[in-house]
Amino acid sequence: MNTPILSAHNLVKHFSAGGFGAKRKVVRAVDDVSFELARGETLGVVGESGCGKSTTARLLVQLLTPNSGSVRFDGKVVGPELPLKAFRRQVQMVFQDSFASLNPRMTMIDSIAFGPTVHGASAAEARRKAQDLLDRVGLDPARFGGRYAHELSGGQRQRVNIARALAFDPQVIVLDEAVSALDKSVEAQVLNLLMDLRRERGLTYVFISHDLNVVRHISDRVMVMYLGEVAEIGPASSLYTAPRHPYTKALLAAMPSLDPDRRTHEAPLAGDPPNPIDPPSGCRFHTRCAQAFGPCATQVPSQFAVAKGHLAACHLNRSEETVA
Ligand code: SF4
């Protein structure tokens, strides 16, 4: 089997929420999350806000240090076996806030050229590369290269942020709600650009979004997170047509349909997610699950293999093979 380009192994991240000694409280943002990324694939990550998807992204790119667990790049453990500097060249991130990601005092050319210069490229070489990349993301270098962040629209700034990520010649890009702040028409253009770049450069994406329609459009596989855990993961085609976790079913039922005749007016997911400081015992979804039964409140469900490459952490799938 091919070595995954990037993999997360039992990642745990708890944030302090105050208190001392026995009364110390922690937010269990990410709890025992594991997954793998094959070269060239796009893994979509979905879930309500506070489910841990952005924390997982930051752990993956090493912007946060996990309490336990590890990240491997091409089979090597980041840190002990692969220095952080080498890893950062290979795995880049694009954030939702296109403005905050750019230095307001740098021109767009300098912003893109900055990374390669830090990693040893000559100024002329880095500038040439920045011009080529601006052109590639659809911005005329002669017109946009000398501009500052406030002189660009949100869509143009996000194109610059994509060019900045590409300037390192990475193999993986983690996109955290990267198109969520854009108008629908601009969002579609940036998504098309991302798909073209993936094809041209053999890139691998982790695509985090609250928009299930967009995730379906761009992803090969999808991971659904709930209260810091993986509820379900599988190929986008089977996860969207035959979900096996009640939480995924509820999310999909709440998804706005593009077909006006099929729009749902109900809210299948009642209430807010429970407090991650004190998550429910057993299956964390049991307090909101319409299908909860005997073991759900006390026993943590394993990841059950429900189809090829498709896992769901729900006791309803107990007759299936357990893989974790
Ligand atoms: Fe619902 Fe139980 Fe499945 Fe959790 S394990 S999703 S509570 S049926």
Side-chain angles (χ1 to χ4, degrees):
M1 191 186 145
N2 292 337
T3 307
I5 184 79
L6 193 64
S7 53
H9 300 262
N10 309 104
L11 289 178
V12 172
K13 185 67 187 176
H14 295 169
F15 295 103
S16 174
F20 295 100
K23 291 193 174 159
R24 185 171 170 265
K25 292 184 170 164
V26 292
V27 175
R28 303 163 77 97
V30 170
D31 251 344
D32 201 16
V33 165
S34 299
F35 59 91
E36 295 181 343
L37 278 167
R39 266 168 217 280
E41 79 164 338
T42 297
L43 175 71
V45 184
V46 298
E48 291 161 290
S49 74
C51 70
K53 51 192 194 304
S54 287
T55 304
T56 301
R58 282 160 177 75
L59 291 169
L60 210 51
V61 300
Q62 307 282 303
L63 282 177
L64 285 174
T65 308
N67 295 89
S68 60
S70 60
V71 172
R72 285 174 184 259
F73 179 81
D74 205 11
K76 296 194 185 91
V77 182
V78 181
E81 295 170 10
L82 179 68
L84 207 51
K85 192 169 177 188
F87 172 74
R88 289 234 162 97
R89 287 186 73 122
Q90 301 291 352
V91 182
Q92 286 289 303
M93 187 156 175
V94 177
F95 299 88
Q96 176 174 2
D97 189 339
S98 63
F99 194 72
S101 305
L102 293 166
N103 184 332
R105 291 187 200 84
M106 283 173 103
T107 63
M108 295 305 100
I109 280 286
D110 290 343
S111 289
I112 300 168
F114 182 75
T117 315
V118 169
H119 282 267
S122 71
E125 202 183 326
R127 214 177 155 74
R128 212 166 26 246
K129 185 166 200 170
Q131 282 173 338
D132 289 348
L133 284 170
L134 256 189
D135 193 35
R136 179 60 198 91
V137 298
L139 298 174
D140 177 6
R143 201 168 143 219
F144 291 96
R147 293 194 190 179
Y148 293 87
H150 71 272
E151 297 175 302
L152 269 61
S153 69
Q156 289 164 346
R157 281 197 296 269
Q158 211 53 314
R159 286 173 188 268
V160 172
N161 282 317
I162 292 167
R164 280 176 72 218
L166 293 174
F168 292 88
D169 292 321
Q171 296 197 50
V172 180
I173 301 183
V174 178
L175 300 133
D176 186 7
E177 301 279 4
V179 297
S180 306
L182 307 177
D183 293 345
K184 277 290 160 201
S185 62
V186 179
E187 177 189 86
Q189 291 165 12
V190 175
L191 282 174
N192 286 338
L193 171 67
L194 287 170
M195 289 193 286
D196 289 347
L197 291 169
R198 180 180 65 176
R199 221 172 10 251
E200 277 168 27
R201 295 168 180 248
L203 290 165
T204 303
Y205 291 149
V206 178
F207 188 87
I208 295 162
S209 177
H210 64 278
D211 186 333
L212 277 85
N213 277 315
V214 170
V215 167
R216 182 180 202 170
H217 181 64
I218 197 169
S219 306
D220 301 302
R221 285 191 305 136
V222 175
M223 180 165 88
V224 181
M225 292 189 70
Y226 185 74
L227 267 189
E229 295 181 334
V230 177
E232 185 162 5
I233 183 167
S237 50
S238 62
L239 193 133
Y240 276 76
T241 54
R244 298 292 293 269
H245 194 291
Y247 178 59
T248 312
K249 290 179 191 173
L251 278 183
L252 293 176
M255 186 171 135
S257 174
L258 298 178
D259 175 355
D261 293 336
R262 297 183 55 202
R263 279 193 187 144
T264 173
H265 298 286
E266 290 161 33
L269 205 47
D272 294 325
N275 190 340
I277 291 177
D278 189 16
S281 58
C283 170
R284 290 187 178 182
F285 187 54
H286 84 260
T287 52
R288 298 168 86 195
C289 181
Q291 291 175 269
F293 65 111
C296 299
T298 52
Q299 291 174 31
V300 177
S302 302
Q303 296 269 4
F304 298 100
V306 294
K308 193 166 183 290
H310 187 161
L311 308 174
C314 168
H315 291 304
L316 290 169
N317 301 298
R318 232 174 182 172
S319 57
E320 317 278 350
E321 180 199 351
T322 306
V323 297

